Structures are given as structure tokens and as C-alpha cells.
Amino acid sequence: MFLTKEEEKIFNGEKGEVLERMFRLLVRLGDIYGANKMIPVGSVQVAGVSFKSIGTPGLEFLEDYAKKGAKIKVLTFLNPAGMDLENWKELGFPEDFAEKQIRVMNAFKEMGIVVTSTCTPYLAGNLPRFGEHIAWSESSAVSFSNSVIGARTNREGGPSALAAALCGLTPNYGLHIDENRKPNIVVNVDAELKYNADFGALGSFVGKIVKDKIPYFKGIKNTNTDQLKALGAAMAASGAVALYHAENLTPEAHLMDIKGLEKIEVGEKELKETYAQLNTGENPDIVILGCPHASLREISDLAEKIKGKKMKKPLWICTSRVMKECANRMGYTEIVEKAGGEIVADTCAVVSPIEKMGYNTTGVDSGKAANYLPGFCKQKVVFKNVDELIKVIE
Amino acid sequence: MGDNMKGRTIYPGKTEGEALVSKTPIGFYGGIDASTGIVIEKGHELEGKSVTNKILVFPNGKGSTVGSYVIYGLKKNGVAPKAIINRETETIVATGVILAGIPCVDKINIDEIKNGDRLVVDAGKGVVEVK
């Protein structure tokens, strides 16, 4: 790989041990994936934040590097943490877990990373522009930034994203390169898509078939960004889709040639089958919405739906701290709480230790959560649209 | 003897020591105890053995990406292998050895290394010598 004179100095340790290790990591990953050079990144999102995922080894690594003076060079946000960082006690998160999670956050903060933990950085103040090179980690955020915004990122691991943040660079390979952003399979959709859950079911079905390909959707109409967020998240969870195009909806779609590509068809039948497959339980102990983190529109829609009702089971809607502040100000939080629900910030169903909090069956309207909860949190899943979920627990 | 093999540098450094060879991949997270260096994966061919101060030879890593942090933990706790030799270093092991600063070489035909062999490693040059 070509390195500039300045980069050679970092590689040889002239800028200190932290940068040397971090830069070597980027160079080696670049070699493995065939990068020709380093490129500057404008924004980073680091995964590996929940203490549940990184454990004591991860915590100790982060504290060591923070102590050695690691400092970020570009705007850097974090993936969700393992708990609501302000409200954890009330929500029943274990104390020993909380102590470790707070140490993780402090280490990141010392490096200059914005301790806003969310899988939707683009809704919380970290918005890249079209075509900008970035290094993001969380799979749904990677999908959204590549597909809906048209920024460019590979799916980074926790350490490689941290290295990108500390060096301000990433190796030039994969989705940073025009050639690798072309679709290689067409998905013809002929079904009514109304709820986020419908988009989650579509994404779950398609991800399983296309795996790590780049799908080009035809036939999706009248969507908003919340629905595209749900679609991308599900495809990244059931497959490894980091970029999709959708005709008349995403910014690079019109640049793409789809002649001669393999095609798959998705209709009502496939969606119905996917709903059936993802439902592994009944009678949820808790309903968790906001996977990926809810937008303000999703929170206000929920508040409208449950206003004046009383939920018999816990109901969480997970979101970023920024959205929660808006919800507080608009009175949505009060409405949700009066109905027996909680607006939970900084964390989500997938990365929080819900299996240790007495929950065995979780109701979700997210294709991503429905894919991950059985494995990550040992949950049985009730996968329905938001109206049906409310009906089950009200 | 002095059988030289040439591979690729993952992280530089010179060392020599005794080979501990696994014919099967190693998953560090849940596979090796970061505080003792003992292999704890049930049924693994190295189960119960210590990787500490050995030259650990295995085809490639497997399992959770948190494995990178376990490699870092081994080094920090003073129970790391002296070096790692792989057939193909994938990103979990590459990330771990670089964070930790453990010499590592890949693209080596590990079938030619036997348990207990005395190895001299110059990872910066990608060279592994069987004494």
C-alpha cells in the first residue's frame, strides 16, 4: 500500500505508540482487503460499546489507550451502550453492570469521543454528506449512511473504527470505491408495505437470500426514512447487506445499470412466511420498539397511539439521548410514561442484558431485533406491527 | 536443520521459543482465559494447555470479534504467547496482535511445524525458522 511521508512516520512510531499501533492496524487491514492507499474520513461511529459485548478485556483495552493519551481527530459517535446512562437504576439494570458500563463511557469520553450512544448517529448530530468517506461500525447505521445518504463506509469493527477516529484515516477498499457500489441483484417488490414491521419483514427475507450482495429494489413506493432505516437494518441482520439501492428513493440508484442482473420477486406470500418464521413465541413479557433507535416521528406516533391507554406489560421505545430530549420537551415522554411505557435512551434490546432482567419473551416490530434477540438475549420473539403489539399488551 | 519459511508480517518483532501447535482454529473469546493464558474451550485439542511464552501456531482465528481484546488482555496480564504463526491471519487475530504488540506472521505452511519444535521468528521480515 502507498503511504505518504507523514504516514510512514506514524507507521514507524515517530508519533507515539498509540498512533503507531492504530495506524498499523489500518495498514494491515488495508493489505488484507487490497487497499491501495489511505483516505481521510469525515466522521466515525465506534461499535463495541456495550459492556455486555466487550466484557472486561474490552474495558481494560479502552482504559489503557485513554490513559496513554489517545485522542480522536474527527467527529466520532458511539454505538448504543448496554443501558440507559441516566435512568438505568429505575429501569432495573444491574449495579455491577452499570459500574463497568460507566467506566467504558468515561474511557471513550477521555479520547474526545462524543458519548452519544446510538445506532442512528445521523439523527443525533453526526450527519455525513453524499459521497463523504466515513468509518462507521453499527450495521444498520452503515446501511443507512451508504444507501440513504450516499456516504461511503465499510462495515468497521470496534477497533478498526477507533483506529480510523484516532488517525483520521481509513484504508481505501470495498464500498469506498465506485466499482464496488454497483448492484448485483434486483429485488422486485409487489406487496403493500405499511408498517415498519412490513419493511423489517421484507429486509429480513431479502437479507437471507442475498447475503452480502448489493440489492437494487424496484416497486417500493412512498417511503420515509424511518421505513428505509427498518429495511436496511433487517437486511444487515439476516444477511450482511451494507449497501442497497432503491429505485426513485436512494441517491445512487439512478446511476446504476441493472440490465442482465439476477432477479428475485417478493410478494405478500413471502412477507407472510417471514412473519411466521420470525415469530417464535407468544404473550410477550415486554415490548421493545425503537430498533434501530426511534426517530422523533416514531416516538410521536407511538405517543399518539397509546395516549390515555394503560399497558399491562412493560413497553420500551429505545432512542438516542437527543431524540429523548425532544420527546421530553414535546410532552411525548409524559404521555408514554402515563400509559405505562418508557422512552429508553442510549441502549437497545439487542445490546442490553434483558435476559438477566427477568424477560423471556419480547415483542418487537423490528426485523433486525427479531433476528438477533433469540441468539443475543435468549428471547422468544413476538414479531408484529406496532398496532398489533399494543393490542396484545394493553 | 534450519528450515526457513517466509510469510507475511502482521506485527513485527524478533523472538524464539517452543511451538504450541493447533491444527484447528482458535477462538480467543471464550476459548482462552485472558488472566491465565490457559485454553478453556471445551473439547479443543489444546484444552488445558497454557499459551504463555509459547510460539502459538494455528491455521486462523474464529468466533467473536471480542477475541481481539482477549489477545490484548493476555499481553497485558503477562501471559501472552511470545509470537503467533498462522496460515491466514484474519481480522480478529490481526487486530488483537497489533493492539497488543505481539509478533505475528502469516502465510506460513504450518503443517511443517510440530508441537515442541524450537522456532526462531523474525516477524518484521516474515521469517520463521525451525531449529
Side-chain angles (χ1 to χ4, degrees):
Chain A
M1 187 187 325
F2 169 79
L3 296 182
T4 65
K5 282 215 170 92
E6 197 58 23
E7 289 165 0
E8 290 277 3
K9 281 185 189 163
I10 305 174
F11 190 86
N12 293 323
E14 288 174 43
K15 306 277 173 179
E17 182 193 314
V18 166
L19 279 184
E20 183 235 354
R21 295 275 171 84
M22 286 290 153
F23 189 63
R24 273 183 188 273
L25 175 58
L26 296 178
V27 171
R28 194 51 65 223
L29 294 175
D31 277 349
I32 291 172
Y33 295 113
N36 58 343
K37 60 174 182 180
M38 290 289 165
I39 46 174
V41 289
S43 155
V44 175
Q45 184 221 19
V46 175
V49 178
S50 171
F51 179 71
K52 177 177 160 179
S53 336
I54 64 171
T56 304
L59 168 61
E60 288 180 348
F61 162 74
L62 293 169
E63 285 186 334
D64 279 358
Y65 268 51
K67 208 188 291 164
K68 286 177 184 168
K71 291 278 182 261
I72 53 120
K73 291 205 170 65
V74 294
L75 181 66
T76 302
F77 274 36
L78 292 174
N79 205 36
M83 62 180 195
D84 186 303
L85 295 166
E86 289 179 13
N87 225 12
W88 56 270
K89 213 171 254 174
E90 293 80 349
L91 290 163
F93 285 91
E95 193 123 0
D96 56 333
F97 182 88
E99 186 258 328
K100 300 272 175 51
Q101 184 65 67
I102 289 164
R103 280 171 57 192
V104 171
M105 303 316 284
N106 288 342
F108 280 128
K109 195 173 170 183
E110 216 172 308
M111 298 183 207
I113 293 174
V114 182
V115 282
T116 285
S117 288
T118 179
C119 49
T120 58
Y122 48 89
L123 293 177
N126 190 345
L127 178 63
R129 65 161 167 77
F130 179 80
E132 187 169 8
H133 296 286
I134 63 175
W136 284 16
S137 299
E138 194 278 323
S139 66
S140 82
V142 165
S143 171
F144 192 93
S145 59
N146 271 322
S147 313
V148 183
I149 301 169
R152 297 181 169 209
T153 182
N154 292 313
R155 184 180 172 179
E156 298 294 342
S160 68
L162 184 61
L166 296 173
C167 300
L169 298 165
T170 197
N172 188 38
Y173 71 92
L175 294 175
H176 291 288
I177 295 166
D178 283 341
E179 189 62 27
N180 299 331
R181 298 178 66 86
K182 292 179 177 168
N184 37 30
I185 186 163
V186 174
V187 182
N188 286 316
V189 180
D190 181 17
E192 198 199 340
L193 303 168
K194 185 179 167 200
Y195 289 97
N196 279 4
D198 299 334
F199 284 84
L202 172 63
S204 194
F205 177 81
V206 172
K208 210 176 249 178
I209 293 176
V210 308
K211 301 196 173 71
D212 60 354
K213 285 189 179 149
I214 300 173
Y216 182 103
F217 285 93
K218 293 178 74 139
I220 303 178
K221 299 180 190 82
N222 300 323
T223 54
N224 60 34
T225 45
D226 296 334
Q227 294 162 331
L228 293 175
K229 162 165 82 75
L231 173 67
M235 280 193 289
S238 73
V241 175
L243 165 64
Y244 66 91
H245 303 287
E247 194 173 56
N248 300 323
L249 296 172
T250 62
E252 287 167 276
H254 69 284
L255 304 169
M256 301 300 168
D257 183 8
I258 55 167
K259 259 186 233 127
L261 294 183
E262 180 191 348
K263 287 192 180 77
I264 57 170
E265 313 285 329
V266 188
E268 304 285 356
K269 178 173 158 276
E270 285 77 14
L271 294 190
K272 216 173 155 188
E273 284 168 6
T274 305
Y275 269 102
Q277 279 165 10
L278 292 175
N279 272 283
T280 54
E282 42 198 311
N283 302 324
D285 306 319
I286 182 170
V287 168
I288 306 184
L289 308 172
C291 171
H293 273 172
S295 68
L296 194 60
R297 175 170 46 206
E298 290 171 312
I299 298 171
S300 76
D301 285 352
L302 177 71
E304 188 66 30
K305 286 176 195 298
I306 63 174
K307 193 173 185 173
K309 294 182 179 170
K310 195 76 198 164
M311 301 298 125
K312 292 199 186 78
K313 297 279 174 66
L315 166 67
W316 293 3
I317 181 162
C318 298
T319 190
S320 59
R321 181 65 54 190
V322 175
M323 291 299 113
K324 172 136 193 207
E325 290 296 330
C326 290
N328 292 348
R329 190 172 285 187
M330 290 304 295
Y332 304 146
T333 309
E334 202 186 332
I335 294 170
V336 170
E337 286 175 359
K338 270 195 180 143
E342 296 277 357
I343 300 183
V344 176
D346 313 312
T347 188
C348 78
V350 177
V351 298
S352 63
I354 54 171
E355 71 281 11
K356 292 188 180 137
M357 296 164 72
Y359 304 122
N360 298 311
T361 304
T362 300
V364 297
D365 73 337
S366 155
K368 171 175 176 158
N371 271 280
Y372 279 158
L373 286 181
F376 287 8
C377 304
K378 302 180 181 74
Q379 296 293 296
K380 286 186 178 149
V381 166
V382 178
F383 174 61
K384 292 177 186 294
N385 70 50
V386 60
D387 282 335
E388 289 171 351
L389 286 172
I390 292 169
K391 227 178 266 167
V392 173
I393 61 163
E394 76 174 283
Chain B
M1 307 260 281
D3 192 3
N4 264 342
M5 289 185 276
K6 178 98 172 68
R8 174 173 71 163
T9 307
I10 301 294
Y11 194 82
K14 285 185 192 174
T15 187
E16 58 177 288
E18 184 191 329
L20 178 67
V21 181
S22 169
K23 298 240 178 276
T24 50
I26 293 181
F28 285 81
Y29 184 65
I32 297 186
D33 184 331
S35 57
T36 62
I38 307 276
V39 177
I40 51 174
E41 184 184 328
K42 289 267 168 275
H44 194 277
E45 62 180 278
L46 298 186
E47 187 183 351
K49 295 225 164 71
S50 167
V51 301
T52 306
N53 291 327
K54 296 285 191 322
I55 309 243
L56 186 58
V57 181
F58 57 101
N60 54 274
K62 64 169 183 178
S64 164
T65 53
V66 182
S68 303
Y69 292 137
V70 174
I71 296 173
Y72 182 84
L74 288 168
K75 178 74 177 185
K76 195 188 156 187
N77 297 327
V79 294
K82 282 183 174 170
I84 288 179
I85 311 293
N86 294 138
R87 183 176 294 140
E88 184 75 41
T89 305
E90 40 49 74
T91 57
I92 300 170
V93 172
T95 301
V97 295
I98 293 168
L99 295 181
I102 297 172
C104 180
V105 177
D106 82 339
K107 310 250 184 234
I108 293 289
N109 180 10
I110 61 165
D111 295 338
E112 295 187 12
I113 304 174
K114 287 186 291 298
N115 242 331
D117 276 355
R118 186 98 196 141
L119 302 182
V120 180
V121 179
D122 184 348
K125 293 197 174 117
V127 174
V128 178
E129 187 186 348
V130 183
K131 281 274 193 189

